[in-house]
Amino acid sequence: MLKRLDRFKLFVKCIMIGVNVGQKFSLVKEFWKPAIIGELNGQLVKLAKLKGSFVWHSHENEDELFYVHQGTLYMEFRDRTEVINTGEIIIVPKGVEHNPYTKNDEEVWVMLFEPANTQHTGDVKHERTHNNQQWI
């Protein structure tokens, strides 16, 4: 884990120069393990590569925004499934159970915007839970 000063230097670098999102995606090596690329107003900007199914969960106090950079994301809710294509977003309101997934072994790249205190899988503990996300 980065020391506080190193994290601050990364943060300052992000606000002082442009960030190449494609290059940052190349640093994401594991599916369902978000990495942080920026911070603003208490929100983290994260990148993640998704493949297959995730886990049903909700975030009691935080909304989440998913921007699909590449591929097609399926966001399953208890009463329906929404399809989010490249260049589109979906906002999952706080408290709403959801399960993101991909189909046909497709690799989907997403950018996430969520409060810094958001737990990856809410109160659900799962093998895919990664609450100690790193800056890249």
Side-chain angles (χ1 to χ4, degrees):
M1 189 182 227
L2 292 174
K3 293 179 184 176
R4 187 178 181 109
L5 181 58
D6 292 334
R7 184 173 168 222
F8 178 75
K9 288 177 185 176
L10 272 173
F11 172 71
V12 170
K13 183 177 179 183
C14 287
I15 63 170
M16 300 303 288
I17 62 169
V19 174
N20 184 309
V21 174
Q23 185 273 332
K24 293 293 186 181
F25 266 116
S26 74
L27 301 175
V28 177
K29 302 297 182 193
E30 296 180 57
F31 295 116
W32 302 106
K33 189 173 182 180
I36 303 165
I37 65 165
E39 184 173 7
L40 69 155
N41 300 318
Q43 298 274 319
L44 293 179
V45 180
K46 302 176 182 180
L47 301 180
K49 292 181 180 178
L50 316 179
K51 190 175 185 179
S53 185
F54 193 47
V55 59
W56 279 101
H57 67 286
S58 64
H59 304 281
E60 186 176 337
N61 300 305
E62 302 92 15
D63 301 328
E64 285 184 294
L65 183 147
F66 293 76
Y67 166 76
V68 178
H69 182 77
Q70 172 184 303
T72 302
L73 176 66
Y74 296 84
M75 188 64 71
E76 188 174 20
F77 299 103
R78 292 296 182 186
D79 63 342
R80 71 187 189 287
T81 300
E82 293 291 327
V83 180
I84 306 93
N85 296 298
T86 299
E88 296 179 340
I89 67 166
I90 187 167
I91 298 171
V92 179
K94 61 185 169 192
V96 174
E97 277 190 294
H98 58 288
N99 180 32
Y101 66 93
T102 70
K103 286 186 177 179
N104 304 318
D105 217 30
E106 180 182 20
E107 186 174 308
V108 176
W109 296 5
V110 298
M111 183 181 292
L112 304 160
F113 296 82
E114 57 191 17
N117 63 341
T118 302
Q119 296 294 299
H120 190 216
T121 54
D123 292 335
V124 174
K125 302 300 178 221
H126 188 273
E127 64 186 21
R128 289 194 168 156
T129 300
H130 297 288
N131 286 322
N132 295 319
Q133 297 157 2
Q134 303 298 308
W135 281 77
I136 56 172

